[in-house]
Amino acid sequence: MPDHERTTDRSALRADCARCFALCCVALPFAASSGFALDKPAGKPCPHLRTDHGCGIHAGLRERGFTGCTVYDCFGAGQRVSQVTFGGRDWRGAERAEARLMFDVFPVVRRLHELLWYLAEALDLDAARPLHAELRQARERTEELAGEDAEALAALDLDAHWHAVAQLLLRVSESARHGVGRKKGKDGRGANLIGARLKDADLRGVTLRGACLIAADLTGADLRGADLIGADLRDADLTDADLTGALFVTQPQLNAAKGGPGTRLPGSLVRPVHWTTG
Ligand code: SF4
């Protein structure tokens, strides 16, 4: 199915900051690094967070050393936790124990929403049709888990469910990559490709699941139908690369990479603003 004909509704899996109480700016811990200019423990509001839940340095995040904030995406977990799990209650006015619960629940729901994103993508693939019943079942179960109450979510051991869905997505990947023109024997699963020179490489249908592609030169690379689930694309150069039909690419992966107007993207993703503004 061509990208523009994809039908699965992903609107609930896109961040809607206007309906969230800035949970990512409070719940998550930061370690001072190239992505964050300061240390911050989980549960402590970022010093740049305004009382209206806006970011005080939004226009200059990258220049101020907070590129991590421009890369991050909650897959819509923020608005679900704020508006559904906690019924519109703001952590600012909540009891300390309830606020802590909100911060504990947020990363759990974020993982579940990430799974929902992958499952939505799999359901849009023609090649995965024989697996649609299993995929729908997995999506229903994941939705069910994400809709649990706060206490249940905080106590949830996600690993078994995550693993089961991952196995299913692996089968989807095998089916979808079959016949994309992949070269036999090319398998970059979990590969260490830090700084690799892959300019103009033919990577059609290759699996790069969990590969470390930090700062790799992928300019002009043909990544059509490649599986990029969990690949680390930080500072990878995707200028003029073709990711049409690439599997399981997420917005945070793109946000962390470099690219330009000539980069061809899967239809469900948007071109990061910093690719065009520098
Ligand atoms: S710098 Fe802005 S976007 Fe980043 S955590 Fe702080 S308030 Fe949130």
Side-chain angles (χ1 to χ4, degrees), residues 111-170:
R111 285 190 80 199
L112 289 163
H113 271 221
E114 186 178 350
L115 278 186
L116 287 169
W117 179 274
Y118 296 138
L119 289 165
E121 175 162 343
L123 281 161
D124 279 342
L125 294 170
D126 271 342
R129 276 194 194 285
L131 297 169
H132 273 193
E134 283 177 77
L135 286 166
R136 275 195 286 269
Q137 208 172 29
R139 186 173 62 176
E140 269 166 40
R141 179 62 186 142
T142 309
E143 270 291 351
E144 205 173 84
L145 289 172
E148 296 269 21
D149 65 26
E151 285 75 14
L153 281 163
L156 187 63
D157 178 0
L158 245 184
D159 289 350
H161 181 67
W162 184 278
H163 182 70
V165 176
Q167 291 305 307
L168 181 55
L169 296 175
L170 189 55

Side-chain angles (χ1 to χ4, degrees), residues 15-276:
D16 181 356
C17 301
R19 298 177 59 229
C20 172
F21 299 118
L23 289 172
C24 61
C25 304
V26 188
L28 305 179
F30 302 165
S33 62
S34 56
F36 296 103
L38 46 81
D39 284 318
K40 182 190 86 59
K44 184 178 175 193
C46 169
H48 297 300
L49 184 63
R50 299 188 314 226
T51 51
D52 66 357
H53 304 300
C55 170
I57 57 168
H58 181 72
L61 281 168
R62 297 183 80 84
E63 298 74 24
R64 300 278 293 266
F66 287 84
T67 51
C69 301
T70 65
V71 167
Y72 184 79
D73 189 301
C74 73
F75 293 99
Q79 67 260 28
R80 185 196 282 259
V81 173
S82 297
Q83 302 301 334
V84 181
T85 320
F86 287 91
R89 289 193 297 288
D90 186 348
W91 53 269
R92 286 192 197 274
E95 297 286 335
R96 185 185 288 245
E98 187 179 41
R100 194 173 302 133
L101 192 55
M102 290 175 186
F103 305 147
D104 288 347
V105 159
F106 172 65
V108 177
V109 176
R110 199 250 187 203
R111 285 190 80 199
L112 289 163
H113 271 221
E114 186 178 350
L115 278 186
L116 287 169
W117 179 274
Y118 296 138
L119 289 165
E121 175 162 343
L123 281 161
D124 279 342
L125 294 170
D126 271 342
R129 276 194 194 285
L131 297 169
H132 273 193
E134 283 177 77
L135 286 166
R136 275 195 286 269
Q137 208 172 29
R139 186 173 62 176
E140 269 166 40
R141 179 62 186 142
T142 309
E143 270 291 351
E144 205 173 84
L145 289 172
E148 296 269 21
D149 65 26
E151 285 75 14
L153 281 163
L156 187 63
D157 178 0
L158 245 184
D159 289 350
H161 181 67
W162 184 278
H163 182 70
V165 176
Q167 291 305 307
L168 181 55
L169 296 175
L170 189 55
R171 288 161 60 204
V172 169
S173 170
E174 284 295 330
S175 308
R177 289 184 299 109
H178 190 75
V180 184
R182 69 172 154 159
K183 300 239 168 81
K184 265 202 163 155
K186 271 197 177 180
D187 185 346
R189 187 173 176 166
N192 181 351
L193 295 167
I194 296 176
R197 293 179 194 168
L198 295 165
K199 184 174 164 57
D200 297 324
D202 180 0
L203 297 168
R204 279 174 297 163
V206 168
T207 179
L208 289 162
R209 298 171 76 85
C212 189
L213 286 153
I214 294 174
D217 180 2
L218 287 160
T219 54
D222 191 346
L223 286 151
R224 284 176 292 168
D227 183 349
L228 286 161
I229 197 167
D232 192 336
L233 293 173
R234 279 177 291 168
D235 291 325
D237 194 344
L238 295 170
T239 302
D240 296 331
D242 191 349
L243 285 87
T244 310
L247 302 171
F248 307 126
V249 188
T250 63
Q251 196 63 49
Q253 281 175 305
L254 284 190
N255 294 349
K258 297 174 186 167
T263 308
R264 300 189 68 191
L265 303 177
S268 55
L269 302 175
V270 297
R271 200 170 303 277
V273 175
H274 65 87
W275 283 11
T276 44

